[in-house]
Amino acid sequence: MNYRRPPAVLAAELDFYTASYGSSVRDMDKKVAATPAPDDLFDLTHGDTRAFTPPDSAQIDFDEAVRDNTEAYSAYRGSSTVRAILAPRAATLLQRPVDPAHEIILTPGTQGGLFTALSALVAPGDVVAFPSREYFMDERITAYLGATSHRIPLHQDDHGVIIIEDSDLEAATRAGVSGVVLSHPNNPTGGVYARESLERLAAWVVATDVWAVVDQLYCRLIFAGHEYVHLGALSGMASRTITLIGPSKTESMSGYRVGAAIGPSEVVESMEQVVSFAALRTGGYAQHTLRHWMDGDEQWLTRRTDAHQAIRDSLVDRLRAIPGVHVSTPAGSSYVFPDCSATQWAQMRGDNDDFALIVDLKRAGVLVSPGYQFGQDGRGHFRINFSQNVTRLERACDIIERTLTDR
């Protein structure tokens, strides 16, 4: 077969990165994947679900759904039973009413929710705004849908607080954006937006008549001393915001591939069409793992948050002790995004090429997520998911330190 990749697939490879890196994003990803590594590779690109296991209720509810076997085929937008159970808890979480019949859809993971939401909102030729360091799939999906991206500078202090400036929003208006996509807490930095910044963003969204998609996958994993504000709860935003939530990360339930999206009924209806095209529905049995999600689990959540905060504090101290490394303390999530552009490794190379650094680290025995995946402003950085076994994370840090200092 003389196969030619369609233009949409080619666009998602982000070939324009070649001007900065010499390769498209897809080509760099393939080279990283092909890089040889030791058998005992420390993979810090995702959380270790053996170190932090899912709540017992997830397996119990899944098994019960299999035994009951009445909802292998649910409505395209998800089981009405599960949506009715989940809606009041989602309303409490998001601090806004949620209509279970019209404003919530169950998705194949939060990733599926992201693609479905953008597919329901983005048209070819649109301009979509993202923070300058943002979840790696946002820009790829936007390109796949025929739109272009506009990056809003990410201003994050050492304590993990993100500020949005009026001038940045004014530039987005001049760029003609039709919507904005952001993760909150930020992926990859773990930053949390200051209330006044989200209020500024909400006022801008309403005034410019655009939409917002906010990925709140980590909104329950917020560390002490930080206020968390839900964008969709702010004035005028419920009718303009699609909020993505799910148990994949904080609850370590990624393997169940289930999430939820809450938004205006007309957008949810279009999202239902997209889900039906791609997958018909989220896995029928997996949907039922949401029956007890966020159901009186405050003590469990406190223990999990405290455990991650302890790991965060130790990791940040360890990274800051490496000469030339700068890192902001994450205010939420399980991500940290160190800047290695002033390290001995970078100085000896004469640049801050995060692609080359990730290749060197993998050869040495640690796999991390390269900065380029999160936007060109990520150059010189890499992302660690610190939801890990503590002993293994310490051993991985030994390798990172040697790589950055002994070259």
Side-chain angles (χ1 to χ4, degrees), residues 155-163 226 326-329:
H155 309 288
Q156 181 168 318
D157 67 19
D158 286 345
H159 303 289
V161 177
I162 300 174
I163 300 297
H226 292 280
H326 177 266
V327 60
S328 170
T329 301

Side-chain angles (χ1 to χ4, degrees), residues 158-169:
D158 286 345
H159 303 289
V161 177
I162 300 174
I163 300 297
I164 300 174
E165 304 285 359
D166 283 328
S167 58
D168 299 330
L169 296 177

Side-chain angles (χ1 to χ4, degrees), residues 58 61-62 65 71 79 81-82 283-292:
D61 289 339
F62 183 89
E71 284 207 289
S79 163
T81 300
V82 175
Y285 305 138
Q287 293 179 35
H288 286 263
T289 64
L290 298 176
R291 278 178 170 267
H292 288 92

Side-chain angles (χ1 to χ4, degrees), residues 74-386:
S74 72
Y76 292 153
R77 69 177 60 194
S79 163
S80 58
T81 300
V82 175
R83 284 184 284 125
I85 292 171
L86 182 59
R89 295 181 204 146
T92 299
L93 174 70
L94 303 181
Q95 301 170 12
R96 52 148 294 188
V98 176
D99 179 346
H102 302 103
E103 293 183 327
I104 185 168
I105 180 171
L106 306 185
T107 60
T110 307
Q111 171 70 35
L114 176 66
F115 180 81
T116 301
L118 292 178
S119 296
L121 291 164
V122 176
D126 282 355
V127 180
V128 179
F130 314 104
S132 57
R133 301 170 189 173
E134 185 53 56
Y135 177 58
F136 72 102
M137 281 296 181
D138 292 355
E139 190 169 35
R140 302 185 198 199
I141 294 172
T142 297
Y144 178 83
L145 295 171
T148 57
S149 59
H150 171 82
R151 293 281 184 168
I152 298 174
L154 184 74
H155 309 288
Q156 181 168 318
D157 67 19
D158 286 345
H159 303 289
V161 177
I162 300 174
I163 300 297
I164 300 174
E165 304 285 359
D166 283 328
S167 58
D168 299 330
L169 296 177
E170 290 166 3
T173 300
R174 291 193 297 271
V177 304
S178 58
V180 59
V181 183
L182 67 153
S183 51
H184 188 209
N186 177 263
N187 180 357
T189 69
V192 168
Y193 286 86
R195 171 178 287 276
E196 57 270 23
S197 289
L198 282 187
E199 290 174 345
R200 183 176 296 121
L201 176 64
W204 173 79
V205 167
V206 173
T208 55
D209 192 23
V210 300
W211 48 262
V213 173
V214 56
D215 175 356
Q216 295 193 177
L217 188 55
Y218 276 101
C219 69
R220 302 183 78 214
L221 193 62
I222 305 300
F223 300 125
H226 292 280
E227 178 189 23
Y228 186 90
V229 178
H230 296 273
L231 182 62
L234 296 177
S235 178
M237 291 301 290
S239 63
R240 298 177 178 277
T241 305
I242 297 83
T243 304
L244 309 177
I245 57 174
S248 293
K249 302 301 183 184
T250 303
E251 292 82 4
S252 304
M253 287 172 56
S254 183
Y256 289 102
R257 304 311 307 147
V258 62
I262 291 89
S265 58
E266 61 272 21
V267 179
V268 168
E269 184 174 348
S270 292
M271 291 176 67
E272 182 178 30
Q273 285 186 282
V274 178
V275 169
S276 72
F277 300 154
L280 286 181
R281 60 187 56 79
T282 299
Y285 305 138
Q287 293 179 35
H288 286 263
T289 64
L290 298 176
R291 278 178 170 267
H292 288 92
W293 178 43
M294 302 189 293
D295 181 19
D297 64 351
E298 291 82 5
Q299 292 183 350
W300 179 94
L301 182 62
T302 296
R303 290 193 298 270
R304 179 144 297 193
T305 303
D306 288 348
H308 280 80
Q309 184 162 332
I311 297 172
R312 176 203 69 170
D313 292 345
S314 177
L315 176 61
V316 168
D317 287 346
R318 180 74 187 272
L319 291 171
R320 286 178 175 168
I322 301 173
V325 172
H326 177 266
V327 60
S328 170
T329 301
S333 83
S334 59
Y335 297 128
V336 65
F337 198 54
D339 179 358
C340 303
S341 58
T343 60
Q344 182 180 351
W345 181 93
Q347 291 169 358
M348 292 188 69
R349 282 188 54 90
D351 62 24
N352 59 343
D353 188 344
D354 51 279
F355 166 70
L357 175 57
I358 267 57
V359 168
D360 281 355
L361 284 171
K362 186 179 179 185
R363 288 191 175 118
V366 176
L367 183 62
V368 291
S369 300
Y372 70 77
Q373 290 186 336
F374 306 97
Q376 296 190 59
D377 193 38
R379 192 178 186 97
H381 297 68
F382 60 80
R383 191 195 72 180
I384 292 173
N385 187 318
F386 58 82

